[in-house]
């Protein structure tokens, strides 16, 4: 099966990036995870991003905060899809990261998920890979049905016990 590259600029991004990895684990998708600073280690970053395709990677998930150059630089060097995860920051709450990732120049697209959207990045990567993998597509469809079933259960519970009791149990 195709691999996903997961790269982050700092270990402080790990809790969010781990959510992407957990989703990929659920779908049985192989991945490689690393920490590389595009600003502090440009030579190492360039080598990693340029070598990702030869390692079998079909999608890169890149998380970054503040200036958030990592996803865009991955997209500039890697010929396949890149998903950017803007990290919540202490300065501007992650809006700085979001704007940096989503405002890519024409010709260098980065699919961008919500601030701290690690799980959605993993799901989006799985959906991208599922376009050419019927077995994975089946797992993605099952996952969607599970989400639907969870909402139906919650709605039934609310109807049965009322909102006050429902809130008390949350």
């Amino acid at each position: 099966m195709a691999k996903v590259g997961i790269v982050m600029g700092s270990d402080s991004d790990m809790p969010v990036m781990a959510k992407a990895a957990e989703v990929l684990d659920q779908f049985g998708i192989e991945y490689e995870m690393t920490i590389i600073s595009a600003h502090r280690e440009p030579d190492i970053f360039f080598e990693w991003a340029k070598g990702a395709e030869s390692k079998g990677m079909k999608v890169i998930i890149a998380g970054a905060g503040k200036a958030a150059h990592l996803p865009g630089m991955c997209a500039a060097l890697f010929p396949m899809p890149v998903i950017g995860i803007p990290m919540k920051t202490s300065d501007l709450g992650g809006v700085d990261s979001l704007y940096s990732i989503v405002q890519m120049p024409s010709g260098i697209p980065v699919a961008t998920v919500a601030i701290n959207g690690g799980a959605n990045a993993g799901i989006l990567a799985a959906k991208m890979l599922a376009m050419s993998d019927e077995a994975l597509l089946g797992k993605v469809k099952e996952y969607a049905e599970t989400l639907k079933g969870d909402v139906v259960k919650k709605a039934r519970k609310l109807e049965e016990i009322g909102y006050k009791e429902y809130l008390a149990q949350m």
Side-chain angles (χ1 to χ4, degrees):
M1 180 180 283
K3 275 195 338 193
V4 174
I6 300 175
V7 62
M8 64 202 91
S10 169
D11 64 350
S12 63
D13 302 334
M14 184 65 74
V16 173
M17 302 308 284
K19 290 178 183 175
E22 289 166 7
V23 168
L24 296 175
D25 285 337
Q26 273 185 282
F27 286 114
I29 298 170
E30 187 180 346
Y31 57 89
E32 173 186 303
M33 184 184 285
T34 191
I35 301 167
I36 305 173
S37 172
H39 295 113
R40 295 178 186 97
E41 310 172 293
D43 52 335
I44 294 170
F45 167 74
F46 272 79
E47 183 181 326
W48 183 86
K50 285 186 171 197
E53 181 183 8
S54 66
K55 291 182 191 176
M57 292 181 203
K58 301 295 184 194
V59 179
I60 289 176
I61 298 172
K66 299 191 180 194
H69 288 114
L70 196 60
M73 288 303 297
C74 285
L77 298 169
F78 181 68
M80 288 176 265
V82 174
I83 302 167
I85 304 175
M87 295 295 157
K88 185 174 183 181
T89 59
S90 57
D91 300 329
L92 299 172
V95 174
D96 48 345
S97 311
L98 174 65
Y99 287 166
S100 181
I101 295 170
V102 80
Q103 292 292 345
M104 291 301 299
S106 182
I108 313 294
V110 174
T112 309
V113 295
I115 296 168
N116 284 358
N120 271 354
I123 295 164
L124 183 55
K127 287 183 172 190
M128 289 173 174
L129 296 173
M131 291 189 304
S132 60
D133 184 328
E134 285 295 320
L136 181 55
L137 180 59
K139 291 178 183 180
V140 168
K141 289 178 179 180
E142 286 175 23
Y143 179 80
E145 284 299 314
T146 300
L147 293 177
K148 178 182 173 183
D150 291 346
V151 174
V152 169
K153 287 178 194 172
K154 291 174 184 177
R156 285 187 185 139
K157 181 178 177 181
L158 175 60
E159 289 172 9
E160 290 173 10
I161 65 174
Y163 83 90
K164 290 179 183 176
E165 183 62 30
Y166 193 98
L167 280 173
Q169 293 179 15
M170 289 182 79

